[in-house]
């Protein structure tokens, strides 16, 4: 059942007027031709034609198209293609009407049987448009009104899953076909996903109603351009615009639109939900001590843990920095929100390994509930943020719900902050001085600077009211330096009058976070021509227990410059006595509360005094109000005291008068 050779099979065609040749697609050569074919190819003999390498100046698209034909012939032995084709024998264009079909070559490979007629005159316009249709990468298909394919150009053919695929099967999305058939427009333009041999791809499609030039029937002329790459780029851009590249979580842009949609959805069903604002308490520390790479790693891990906790209906986003936002709902039971928050607390505070170190961070959480606390994402976020600040202000590592009272309190603080700023600018802060007295001689041995706010309407405001706000806002840095300057000025003025008084100044732990602290204090003492040996800086135990190396370095630098250091409110903190010999401390100030409960506190005071003697420290008893109290502490061998019994904190001028009258008394 082997076929006779081509030349035998085809010899009958030699006599035909119509040109016929057989083309070997793989070799790009004509392997057989009748005489009319030789005419078209302008070849003297079949052997001469066989010698020609037609692949030599064949374009890529033509080569591809021929390959396509070959596979079409293999899969469908009756496949037949008609086209107007221009060949270039010896470089001269010759246009023919061609019909191609498959033919098995002598060695069994699939070749192409070509019939060509050179009849008729081709308008240049028609010729060129026919060529364009063949070569264009735009996929063009003509379908009947019911969607049966009538014609595909090579580009369309190369992408079609099968040659007889109908129009409705071509669209990936069935609704597109509906849209087309219901439209009254002559031309419809859309971008849709379609089925191709490469799977689902995105095409920019123009569908045009027109009449078939052959049958006169209604047809669809569909032209398509592959926009998958564009679509992917667009999707990527969209993703990037709405996601945080570090953690892959949705970002703030995404939240404002998508969280709002979700909230609307939940509320439309008459249900409620919660917006949970999460801020990490120690993120800055990690960043500062372990570096940004570790900070990033921490954020990624926290994001992962949060994603793990939430259910399918919840969503989590990163707002930026160390802030995360969680949307939970619908919520059927308020306990669910509390459970979720406990889970967040647990998950976030589990130790994280960063560069071989176990690091723990805790979250501060604020919650707002919709629709009770608002219906719009922005106000809900603001409210949850406010609640989060409340958590931060009250010990961190916990959660708080938004409430109106909370909002009022924060607003009050914000007003206070702006008022304090004005107060600093307009010099409304005054420094009072309270005498420190030598118990044995009853002479004034020093003064403690205590700041007050001379408010234009509210009168004199004690520091307990505004120092915490100054610490929270950072204003304490400026205020602390102001009081320090007043103190140095007082020390020098009194020295000029012949009173060599120690002047103590309170330093807030917050001030030790300022890298300029030491330089600034030294600059002030030099500007004011003060004597550091007579300036005592009062710090609290918490400063020493912070284990912060830079704080310790600052303390040493201050001592090296001649300042004295005292520990204020001694006994109220951790009272870890081990640090007493480790740090350059000169003085302990026994907290007022011990003096005021002398009966129960006697053993503690005794212990403090004997320990101070051991470490050669001065001891000052604070808050002495009665003669009884004074007599008791004198018995403990405590050298100095401060308190209302001797004098309250008073203004500089009054203090100077007090000094002078005491001097006269002594004289
Ligand atoms: P502190 O450093 O413990 O100051 C002693 C406080 O006890 C002062 O309160 C003083 O007026 C009060 N006091 C003195 N003797 C008696 C007494 O016999 N009985 C009673 N009940 N109280 C007495 P003040 O002036 O209201 O200051 C409160 C706190 O504010 C200070 O406590 C200090 O921690 C802080 N502070 C004051 N001025 C400054 C400052 O310039 N900088 C910083 N960082 N803190 C300051
Ligand atoms: Ca003090
Ligand atoms: Ca004190």
């Amino acid at each position: 059942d082997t076929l006779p050779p081509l030349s035998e099979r085809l010899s009958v065609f030699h006599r035909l007027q119509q040109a016929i040749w057989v083309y070997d697609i793989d070799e790009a050569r004509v392997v057989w031709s009748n005489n009319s074919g030789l005419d078209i190819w302008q070849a003297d003999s079949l052997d001469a034609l066989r010698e020609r390498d037609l692949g030599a100046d064949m374009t890529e698209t033509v080569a591809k198209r021929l390959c396509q034909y070959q596979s079409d012939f293999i899969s469908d032995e009756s496949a037949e293609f008609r086209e107007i084709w221009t060949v270039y024998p010896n470089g001269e264009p010759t246009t023919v009407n061609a019909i191609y079909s498959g033919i098995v070559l002598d060695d069994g490979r699939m070749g192409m049987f070509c019939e060509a007629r050179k009849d008729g005159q081709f308008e240049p316009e028609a010729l060129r448009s026919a060529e364009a249709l063949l070569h264009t990468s735009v996929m063009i298909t003509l379908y009947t009104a019911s969607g049966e394919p009538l014609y595909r150009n090579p580009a369309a053919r190369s992408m079609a899953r099968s040659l007889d695929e109908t129009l409705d099967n071509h669209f990936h999305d069935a609704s597109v076909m509906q849209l087309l058939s219901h439209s009254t427009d002559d031309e419809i333009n859309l971008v849709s996903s379609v089925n191709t041999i490469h799977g689902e791809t995105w095409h920019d499609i123009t569908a045009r109603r027109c009449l078939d030039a052959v049958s006169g029937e209604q047809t669809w002329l569909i032209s398509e351009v592959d926009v998958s790459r564009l679509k992917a780029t667009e999707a990527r851009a969209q993703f990037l615009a709405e996601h945080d590249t570090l953690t892959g979580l949705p970002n703030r842009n995404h939240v404002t639109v998508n969280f709002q949609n979700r909230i609307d959805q939940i509320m439309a069903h008459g249900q409620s939900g919660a917006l949970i604002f999460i801020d990490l308490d120690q993120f800055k520390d990690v960043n500062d001590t372990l570096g940004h790479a570790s900070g990033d790693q921490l954020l990624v891990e926290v994001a992962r843990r949060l994603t793990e906790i939430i259910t399918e209906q919840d969503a989590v986003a990163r707002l930026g920095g160390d802030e995360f936002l969680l949307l939970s709902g619908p919520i059927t039971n308020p306990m669910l929100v509390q459970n979720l928050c406990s889970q967040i607390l647990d998950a976030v505070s589990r130790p994280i390994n960063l560069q071989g170190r176990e690091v723990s961070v805790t979250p501060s959480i604020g919650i707002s509930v919709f629709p009770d606390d608002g219906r719009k994402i922005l106000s809900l976020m603001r409210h949850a943020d406010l609640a989060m600040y409340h958590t931060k202000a009250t010990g961190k590592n916990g959660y708080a719900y938004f409430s109106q009272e909370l909002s009022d309190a924060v607003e009050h603080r914000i007003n206070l902050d702006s008022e304090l700023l004005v107060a600093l600018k307009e010099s409304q802060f005054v420094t009072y001085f309270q005498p420190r007295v030598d118990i044995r001689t009853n002479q004034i041995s020093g003064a403690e600077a205590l700041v007050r706010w001379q408010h234009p309407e509210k009168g004199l405001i004690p520091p307990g009211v505004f120092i915490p706000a100054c610490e929270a806002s950072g204003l304490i840095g400026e205020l602390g330096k102001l009081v320090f300057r007043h103190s140095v000025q007082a020390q020098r003025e009194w020295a000029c009058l012949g009173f060599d008084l120690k002047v103590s100044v309170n330093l807030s732990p917050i001030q030790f976070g300022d890298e300029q602290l030491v330089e600034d204090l030294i600059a002030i003492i030099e500007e004011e021509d003060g004597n550091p040996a007579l300036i005592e800086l009062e710090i609290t135990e918490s400063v020493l227990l912070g284990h912060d190396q830079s704080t310790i370095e600052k303390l040493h630098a201050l001592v090296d410059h001649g300042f004295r250091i005292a520990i204020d409110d001694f006994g109220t903190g951790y009272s870890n006595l081990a640090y007493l010999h480790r740090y350059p401390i000169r003085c302990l100030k026994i907290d007022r509360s011990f003096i005021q409960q002398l009966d129960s506190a006697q053993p503690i005071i005794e212990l403090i005094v004997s320990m101070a003697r051991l470490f050669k420290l001065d001891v000052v008893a604070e808050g002495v109000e009665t003669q009884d109290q004074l007599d008791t502490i004198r018995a403990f061998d405590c050298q100095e005291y401060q308190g209302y019994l001797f004098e309250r904190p008073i203004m500089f001028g009054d203090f100077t008068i007090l000094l002078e009258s005491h001097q006269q008394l002594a004289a």
Side-chain angles (χ1 to χ4, degrees):
D1 57 327
T2 49
L3 284 168
L6 271 182
S7 49
E8 221 169 277
R9 278 186 276 155
L10 301 174
S11 56
V12 58
F13 292 120
H14 269 302
R15 273 176 264 148
L16 274 182
Q17 283 300 302
Q18 180 162 349
I20 291 190
W21 66 88
V22 173
Y23 181 70
D24 182 338
I25 296 168
D26 303 310
E27 299 292 330
R29 274 172 211 278
V30 172
V31 291
W32 188 88
S33 171
N34 67 1
N35 291 330
S36 308
L38 293 181
D39 280 350
I40 285 180
W41 285 104
Q42 297 179 17
D44 295 338
S45 68
L46 182 57
D47 283 341
L49 182 55
R50 276 181 180 144
E51 288 296 306
R52 288 193 201 161
D53 177 5
L54 301 182
D57 47 23
M58 185 181 288
T59 64
E60 179 85 5
T61 47
V62 171
K64 258 171 72 181
R65 186 164 93 239
L66 291 173
C67 261
Q68 179 68 42
Y69 286 160
Q70 188 180 36
S71 60
D72 288 344
F73 297 143
I74 292 170
S75 58
D76 177 4
E77 52 181 46
S78 65
E80 187 184 273
F81 304 105
R82 285 157 194 271
E83 49 186 56
I84 296 168
W85 197 21
T86 304
V87 294
Y88 298 86
N90 304 323
E92 255 173 65
T94 308
T95 302
V96 295
N97 273 309
I99 305 172
Y100 309 125
S101 50
I103 185 167
V104 178
L105 302 179
D106 286 346
D107 57 6
R109 288 178 300 109
M110 183 58 76
M112 188 162 85
F113 185 81
C114 311
E115 306 167 50
R117 267 180 298 121
K118 221 171 111 179
D119 57 4
Q121 278 292 307
F122 296 102
E123 288 296 324
E125 189 80 350
L127 268 185
R128 288 185 178 128
S129 60
E131 277 293 287
L133 196 63
L134 287 180
H135 288 87
T136 181
S137 63
V138 179
M139 294 155 269
I140 297 169
T141 315
L142 195 67
Y143 294 94
T144 63
S146 61
E148 301 294 330
L150 288 173
Y151 166 80
R152 287 178 210 277
N153 78 336
R157 211 179 305 138
S158 69
M159 291 294 281
R161 290 185 302 177
S162 77
L163 291 176
D164 49 10
E165 184 185 67
T166 55
L167 185 55
D168 51 342
N169 281 329
H170 181 53
F171 292 122
H172 190 74
D173 180 353
S175 68
V176 177
M177 195 58 212
Q178 293 221 336
L179 185 114
L180 286 193
S181 37
H182 287 116
S183 167
T184 52
D185 296 342
D186 281 341
E187 189 175 293
I188 301 156
N189 201 287
L190 53 102
V191 173
S192 170
S193 69
V194 297
N195 299 310
T196 69
I197 48 165
H198 303 307
E200 187 190 337
T201 52
W202 284 88
H203 286 185
D204 185 338
I205 300 168
T206 305
R208 175 174 260 289
R209 287 178 207 276
C210 56
L211 297 179
D212 177 21
V214 178
S215 64
E217 279 169 22
Q218 270 285 355
T219 53
W220 281 114
L221 179 67
I222 310 277
S223 51
E224 299 165 75
V225 176
D226 190 340
V227 290
S228 299
R229 286 225 338 246
L230 216 70
K231 195 81 188 161
T233 316
E234 185 187 290
R236 181 90 192 124
Q238 174 83 0
F239 183 88
L240 286 180
E242 291 195 353
H243 286 78
D244 160 35
T245 43
L246 178 65
T247 63
L249 289 183
N251 64 14
R252 195 179 280 271
N253 295 339
H254 177 95
V255 162
T256 43
V257 178
N258 294 50
F259 277 30
Q260 182 68 62
N261 290 343
R262 180 79 188 123
I263 289 168
D264 290 345
Q265 243 174 41
I266 292 170
M267 290 191 305
H269 288 88
Q271 292 169 308
S272 59
L275 206 63
I276 302 174
F277 202 109
I278 304 163
D279 186 284
L280 305 182
D281 295 329
Q282 301 85 355
F283 180 68
K284 195 180 171 302
D285 296 348
V286 171
N287 242 355
D288 290 352
T289 54
L290 298 182
H292 286 278
S294 291
D296 285 356
Q297 206 187 329
L298 174 76
L299 291 173
V300 170
E301 178 59 15
V302 168
R304 196 188 64 75
R305 291 181 185 183
L306 291 176
T307 314
E308 229 170 45
I309 295 173
I310 60 168
T311 64
E312 238 167 67
Q313 58 177 5
D314 298 345
V316 61
R318 180 179 169 218
L319 294 179
D322 56 349
E323 292 176 350
F324 296 87
L325 189 69
L326 215 147
L327 173 67
S328 180
I331 286 164
T332 45
N333 177 347
M335 278 304 292
L336 291 177
V337 179
Q338 295 188 25
N339 285 347
L340 184 58
C341 288
S342 315
Q343 275 181 291
I344 296 170
L345 287 171
D346 286 350
V348 173
S349 34
R350 249 186 295 133
I352 295 175
N353 192 299
L354 297 177
Q355 299 171 3
R357 281 208 225 186
E358 293 282 296
V359 175
S360 290
V361 294
T362 53
S364 285
I365 302 173
I367 307 154
S368 63
V369 174
F370 56 86
D372 293 4
D373 299 334
R375 312 177 69 88
K376 289 284 167 229
I377 181 72
L378 290 181
S379 73
L380 286 166
M381 274 166 75
R382 210 172 43 243
H383 289 161
D385 190 18
L386 240 148
M388 188 278 290
Y389 263 100
H390 181 72
T391 306
K392 278 252 192 259
T394 53
K396 306 174 177 174
N397 192 19
Y399 58 90
Y401 284 87
F402 170 78
S403 70
Q404 195 51 52
E405 297 82 72
L406 206 138
S407 163
D408 292 347
V410 171
E411 191 165 330
H412 176 252
R413 223 196 59 204
I414 291 169
N415 287 341
L416 184 62
D417 281 353
S418 55
E419 270 197 274
L420 284 169
L421 213 61
V422 174
L424 196 66
K425 252 196 229 137
E426 304 192 342
S427 314
Q428 293 171 7
F429 292 109
V430 248
T431 302
Y432 277 47
F433 296 92
Q434 186 179 36
R436 202 158 124 175
V437 187
D438 186 311
I439 292 183
R440 267 163 305 182
T441 64
N442 208 35
Q443 289 290 305
I444 298 173
S445 55
E448 176 174 4
L450 293 160
V451 70
R452 271 98 183 87
W453 179 7
Q454 185 66 60
H455 193 283
E457 288 135 37
K458 296 178 193 152
L460 203 63
I461 301 177
V465 175
F466 59 87
I467 293 279
C470 288
E471 290 181 327
S473 68
L475 209 64
I476 191 71
E478 284 310 305
L479 181 61
K481 280 185 269 181
L482 179 73
V483 176
F484 179 81
R485 188 181 291 276
H486 289 164
S487 307
V488 176
Q489 287 167 344
Q491 183 270 318
R492 198 205 50 216
E493 301 249 327
W494 290 327
C496 289
L497 295 172
F499 304 105
D500 276 331
L501 295 190
K502 283 182 297 238
V503 180
S504 356
V505 191
N506 294 285
L507 286 190
S508 158
I510 305 289
Q511 289 180 266
F512 282 88
D514 178 1
E515 289 312 314
Q516 289 297 311
L517 177 71
V518 177
E519 284 94 326
D520 287 352
L521 297 190
I522 292 174
I524 292 171
I525 205 133
E526 282 168 2
E527 279 164 34
E528 301 296 342
D529 195 20
N531 177 4
L534 287 178
I535 298 290
E536 189 163 85
L537 304 172
E538 297 191 5
I539 61 171
T540 54
E541 286 169 282
S542 63
V543 171
L544 298 180
L545 293 171
H547 297 298
D548 177 2
Q549 194 51 40
S550 80
T551 297
I552 307 308
E553 281 165 12
K554 288 186 189 98
L555 276 181
H556 278 281
L558 289 168
V559 169
D560 290 347
H561 203 74
F563 290 106
R564 305 163 59 96
I565 306 289
I567 297 188
D568 204 358
D569 307 338
F570 189 76
T572 56
Y574 303 82
S575 298
N576 176 345
L577 307 174
Y579 62 73
L580 283 182
H581 71 279
R582 228 189 297 144
Y583 300 119
I585 293 152
R586 297 286 291 274
C587 175
L588 297 184
K589 299 188 83 173
I590 303 176
D591 191 66
R592 200 168 64 232
S593 59
F594 296 111
I595 311 300
Q596 251 125 51
Q597 298 154 23
L598 261 186
D599 294 341
S600 54
Q602 278 204 23
I604 302 175
I605 298 177
E606 260 178 300
L607 180 73
I608 295 175
V609 172
S610 56
M611 214 173 48
R613 202 178 300 128
L614 196 67
F615 290 115
K616 301 196 169 55
L617 306 175
D618 295 342
V619 180
V620 182
E622 280 194 309
V624 176
E625 293 178 355
T626 67
Q627 190 61 43
D628 272 0
Q629 288 167 346
L630 182 60
D631 293 341
T632 314
I633 56 162
R634 179 182 286 128
F636 294 143
D637 199 18
C638 175
Q639 306 99 342
E640 289 170 280
Y641 81 99
Q642 238 177 283
Y644 294 171
L645 176 66
F646 188 86
E647 190 59 270
R648 291 180 174 253
I650 50 178
M651 290 201 283
F652 171 78
D654 295 336
F655 199 106
T656 311
I657 292 169
L658 184 72
L659 280 172
E660 283 167 340
S661 63
H662 254 260
Q663 193 181 39
Q664 278 171 5
L665 263 177

